[in-house]
Structures are given as C-alpha cells and as structure tokens.
Amino acid sequence: SFTATCQEVKDGSALFFMDDCVADMPMNREATNEGGFEASDLCAWIQERLAPAFKALYGDRLQYVTIPTREQVFGKDEYSKNYESLGGEQLPLQKIRQNRVCSDPEGDWDWYWLQNRHLKYASDFALVYSYGNSNGNLASAAGGVRPAFALTDR
C-alpha cells in the first residue's frame, strides 16, 4: 500500500504525487531520450501496467497517471536551460526539500525520474536525486518511479 499527497486543486481536478516510489525502472531500455517521455518505455509501462490499477481503484474519476515534470518539482532554476521545457510552475509543496525526497519500496532513499529530457545529452532525462536536488541520468539506468495522477471531482 502507498500514500499520496494532493499537490494542487484546480478547475475541478486534484493532482496527487505518490509520497514514495512504487518501483525502480529505467526510462528506456536503451540510453536514449529520443521521442521524450511520451515515447519512453517507462511511459508505456505506466499506461499498460500502472494506470489500470489506478483505474480499478478510482474508476471514472481518474484523469491520468504519469510522473512529475521538472517544472512541477523545481520550477525555473539555474539548470532549467539544460532540459526541455514542458511548461508549468513549481508546485507549492515541492518548494520544501523534504517533500521532494522519496524512498523506494524497501524504504531506502531513492532518486526518481522526471518527464523532461536533457537538451545536450541525447541519453539523459531529468531526475530528483535522493537528497531532493536536481540532476540527470542515462535513460537506461534504473531509477525510481514516483507516480503523479489526477482525479476529477465528478
């Protein structure tokens, strides 16, 4: 069992981040960020394996299941220029470092993936390091999966 925290309520929808990682997986089997998150093996796994479990739990209230973006976690900072921009702003709870730190299913601190691909290194995606700071890593490295999901009030 896992817990989640509501990060934002907006226009009849609530955005949640899982409080910890649910799995450790690579973004892609190969060290590439071609096609971005939407074309990644991790996104396919989320849609094929994870989203159905959320759908079973929340039914028609579930809008989507994904992972956070760099903007949601860090906003605009000195490293933003190194990553593709997916838009949006830093969520208020993510301004506090302890809300960015997550554990893996065994309870050890874990780093976890963000959706944004690195602009200079065609092999890298953004991540949140285990201490809550920004970093990037090879898409083929096994990192934490911290789901983000939205529920509608209807």
Side-chain angles (χ1 to χ4, degrees), residues 69-91 94-95 116 119 134:
T69 67
R70 193 174 186 292
E71 291 86 355
Q72 289 172 320
V73 176
F74 295 108
K76 280 258 199 214
D77 64 12
E78 61 190 288
Y79 304 107
S80 296
K81 66 184 179 298
N82 297 325
Y83 296 92
E84 82 178 313
S85 175
L86 298 174
E89 296 180 11
Q90 186 178 31
L91 297 167
Q94 295 303 304
K95 293 177 182 180
N116 312 65
L119 295 173
S134 171

Side-chain angles (χ1 to χ4, degrees), residues 2-132:
F2 294 92
T3 60
T5 299
C6 184
Q7 301 288 320
E8 180 179 54
V9 176
K10 187 175 179 180
D11 301 326
S13 179
L15 173 65
F16 294 84
F17 286 0
M18 299 298 286
D19 293 328
D20 288 306
C21 298
V22 300
D24 277 331
M25 302 193 57
M27 182 69 75
N28 282 314
R29 286 182 287 278
E30 303 294 325
T32 180
N33 66 20
E34 186 175 345
F37 173 71
E38 294 297 324
S40 72
D41 296 332
L42 179 57
C43 183
W45 178 82
I46 288 170
Q47 299 316 309
E48 294 166 9
R49 301 282 312 267
L50 200 57
F54 279 75
K55 185 72 169 171
L57 187 62
Y58 295 111
D60 291 338
R61 293 185 58 215
L62 180 68
Q63 292 179 298
Y64 60 83
V65 180
T66 189
I67 59 173
T69 67
R70 193 174 186 292
E71 291 86 355
Q72 289 172 320
V73 176
F74 295 108
K76 280 258 199 214
D77 64 12
E78 61 190 288
Y79 304 107
S80 296
K81 66 184 179 298
N82 297 325
Y83 296 92
E84 82 178 313
S85 175
L86 298 174
E89 296 180 11
Q90 186 178 31
L91 297 167
L93 292 177
Q94 295 303 304
K95 293 177 182 180
I96 303 166
R97 180 190 294 245
Q98 70 191 35
N99 292 329
R100 298 190 305 258
V101 174
C102 288
S103 296
D104 65 17
E106 287 77 42
D108 296 320
W109 283 5
D110 202 4
W111 62 269
Y112 59 93
W113 292 114
L114 300 174
Q115 289 186 32
N116 312 65
R117 60 185 161 172
H118 202 287
L119 295 173
K120 290 183 182 178
Y121 304 118
S123 60
D124 288 15
F125 277 87
L127 61 88
V128 178
Y129 194 64
S130 58
Y131 299 110

